[in-house]
Amino acid sequence: MLLQIGRKILAFVALACLSPGAYAAGDTPVLTLEQCLAIALDDNPTVRVADMEVKRMDYSKKEVIGQLLPSIDFSGSYSRTLAKQTMYMDFGAFGGGDSDDTPATESSNRDTGMKVGLDNSYSAGFSASLPLIAPQLWKALSISDTQIARSLEQARSSRLDLVNQVKSAYYAYMLAEASKVVIRESYDMAALTYETYTKQFAAGAASDYDVLRTSVAMKNIEPELMQADISIKQALLQLQILMGVDASFVFTTSGDLAQYENTMIETAAAIDPDLSGNTTLRLNTIDMELQRKALASQKLAYAPTLALTANYNWTSMNNGTPFSNLRWNPYSMIGIQLNVPIFSGGQRYSRVKQAQVQLTELELQRENLERTVNMQVTLAIDNIKINVRQIGSCSESVRQAERAHDIMVKSFDLGAASYLDLRDSELALTRARLAYYQAIYNYLVANSELELLLGNAPVEQYANK
């Protein structure tokens, strides 16, 4: 376990050092989104379990193949006779009948019987069988191929879901960091105003009320600043869990949320609502194919089977102690065994009907799944377009708030505006910036959710980073 954690941390640092200027002595490592995805796809337990399931299905196929190959078994047995069987001979049954001239010995055997058998019996040998005609086994081989395909799709689905979770966590981490920067700027502005009034009060140019009012405004931001730190830690911890790295290794994100504004319009315009990669629909298609093969397999239960059998055995029987006077006699045989199903109480018929019902259920589910996925994709695209418009609106709001705040700062310095006017402009600017970053975060998460729905995330590209 310690070796595994150490390997992850070394890979972590190596990836961080790949970014020019991202890691220097004493600085916090900087990881890009692609690097975080590469680490998560490499060692996340969910992905590893999905890969192991594919391996398990491969062994299951080999098991079916093994049933088509010859099977050889060795067996041995020993039995000790406790009470021998008694045999009675009726010589009259052979035409002699009872007569006065019957020998006395024959009459005695007929009345008392004769003990037959030996005390000890041994048997050992080999048996082999080879299926020649086995329709159900042949169909089971085809079913195993489809089961492997299903496991591969489930593994792909796990990777797509992990990519979506890592992206959401990464964006949440970026949002928490950006929010802290905004709140820190607001706190610094309040602290500067408090310091200014404190100096003016000492010089007799400001009242005690002005000092108290600015002090309260500054202290009111401190809880928000602490909450921003908590949000950063929570977002980082969530991202570390998804990546499968130790929680003591801290890193930061690359870039900021504002950089995504430059490409959002092109990204939204290039959306292709192709559902061919949707994992839910693909799994349903594979399940229907699997059920069709299962139905065909149940119908093949009516077909006869033919197998080649062979035996080679040794037997020995003796009286007295078990290991004395052993006389081994070999015997062998070879033959063909034909099995023609005739009647099984309607079991085969019921299995066929069950398979037909299950196939019908999957076909009905397909119609509902297609409608549901189409609706989800439509809503996701609409949500992305709304977020794009909202980002544009928030961006304009930030520019206007910055201009208004600059004007108010100059007016306050000239004495043409009160502190309340300055504080209102500061709060408006803070809210505008927070809303702007929140809108970008909502857009990125919506885009990631759509990517998950369409199943078109470049998982292989991330894994090769």
Side-chain angles (χ1 to χ4, degrees), residues 16-77:
C17 292
L18 293 177
S19 301
Y23 187 69
D27 294 338
T28 302
V30 179
L31 291 185
T32 64
L33 175 60
E34 289 75 16
Q35 290 170 342
C36 291
L37 288 170
I39 296 174
L41 290 171
D42 179 58
D43 254 348
N44 185 274
T46 303
V47 173
R48 295 179 65 184
V49 168
D51 290 338
M52 293 180 67
E53 187 65 17
V54 175
K55 186 180 295 185
R56 187 181 72 84
M57 286 293 103
D58 185 54
Y59 282 119
S60 177
K61 178 182 178 180
K62 292 179 180 178
E63 178 187 359
V64 176
I65 295 176
Q67 297 179 33
L68 298 173
L69 300 177
S71 62
I72 302 175
D73 299 306
F74 175 81
S75 61
S77 65

Side-chain angles (χ1 to χ4, degrees), residues 155-209:
R156 176 177 170 271
S157 176
S158 298
R159 284 176 166 81
L160 289 172
D161 186 61
L162 178 61
V163 167
N164 176 57
Q165 292 183 43
V166 171
K167 283 187 175 182
S168 298
Y170 191 87
Y171 298 145
Y173 189 22
M174 295 181 72
L175 175 63
E177 289 183 323
S179 299
K180 181 181 178 181
V181 171
V182 173
I183 296 173
R184 168 61 68 179
E185 291 178 355
S186 177
Y187 179 81
D188 291 341
M189 286 188 293
L192 179 61
T193 306
Y194 168 71
E195 183 180 354
T196 301
Y197 271 107
T198 302
K199 292 179 179 179
Q200 290 178 355
F201 175 75
S207 65
D208 186 26
Y209 173 75

Side-chain angles (χ1 to χ4, degrees), residues 124-128 309-315 329-335:
F126 296 91
S127 62
T309 60
N311 289 282
Y312 194 93
N313 295 277
W314 295 268
T315 60
N329 300 296
Y331 76 93
S332 59
M333 59 157 289
I334 187 171

Side-chain angles (χ1 to χ4, degrees), residues 284-292 359 362-363 366:
N284 179 262
T285 300
I286 296 174
D287 286 340
M288 286 195 295
E289 179 64 21
L290 194 62
Q291 194 57 41
R292 290 190 187 97
L359 180 58
L362 289 173
E363 291 173 348
R366 176 73 181 194

Side-chain angles (χ1 to χ4, degrees), residues 96-267:
D98 292 334
S99 61
D100 295 338
D101 57 355
T102 301
T105 56
E106 295 180 2
S107 177
S108 175
N109 289 337
R110 182 178 58 195
D111 295 336
T112 61
M114 179 176 57
K115 301 293 184 179
V116 295
L118 297 179
D119 294 336
N120 305 296
S121 178
Y122 301 87
S123 176
F126 296 91
S127 62
S129 64
L130 173 65
L132 301 177
I133 300 177
Q136 271 196 307
L137 285 179
W138 298 339
K139 181 56 67 174
L141 189 60
S142 176
I143 292 176
S144 296
D145 291 333
T146 308
Q147 288 175 335
I148 292 176
R150 191 181 194 283
S151 297
L152 287 171
E153 182 59 31
Q154 286 181 323
R156 176 177 170 271
S157 176
S158 298
R159 284 176 166 81
L160 289 172
D161 186 61
L162 178 61
V163 167
N164 176 57
Q165 292 183 43
V166 171
K167 283 187 175 182
S168 298
Y170 191 87
Y171 298 145
Y173 189 22
M174 295 181 72
L175 175 63
E177 289 183 323
S179 299
K180 181 181 178 181
V181 171
V182 173
I183 296 173
R184 168 61 68 179
E185 291 178 355
S186 177
Y187 179 81
D188 291 341
M189 286 188 293
L192 179 61
T193 306
Y194 168 71
E195 183 180 354
T196 301
Y197 271 107
T198 302
K199 292 179 179 179
Q200 290 178 355
F201 175 75
S207 65
D208 186 26
Y209 173 75
D210 292 330
V211 175
L212 293 174
R213 184 171 55 183
T214 54
S215 175
V216 170
M218 181 183 66
K219 293 184 180 300
N220 284 339
I221 304 176
E222 291 179 354
E224 299 179 11
L225 202 57
M226 290 186 288
Q227 183 61 43
D229 288 330
I230 294 175
S231 298
I232 290 176
K233 291 181 181 179
Q234 290 177 343
L236 177 60
L237 181 60
Q238 178 66 23
L239 186 54
Q240 288 170 335
I241 292 173
L242 292 171
M243 292 170 60
V245 298
D246 191 82
S248 62
F249 195 81
V250 181
F251 62 95
T252 187
T253 59
S254 174
D256 55 42
L257 290 174
Q259 68 187 16
Y260 293 99
E261 183 182 359
N262 300 326
T263 59
M264 64 179 184
I265 297 179
E266 296 178 1
T267 303

Side-chain angles (χ1 to χ4, degrees), residues 1-13:
M1 182 65 181
L2 292 176
L3 291 175
Q4 184 179 11
I5 294 175
R7 180 174 63 84
K8 290 178 180 178
I9 293 177
L10 288 176
F12 210 10
V13 175

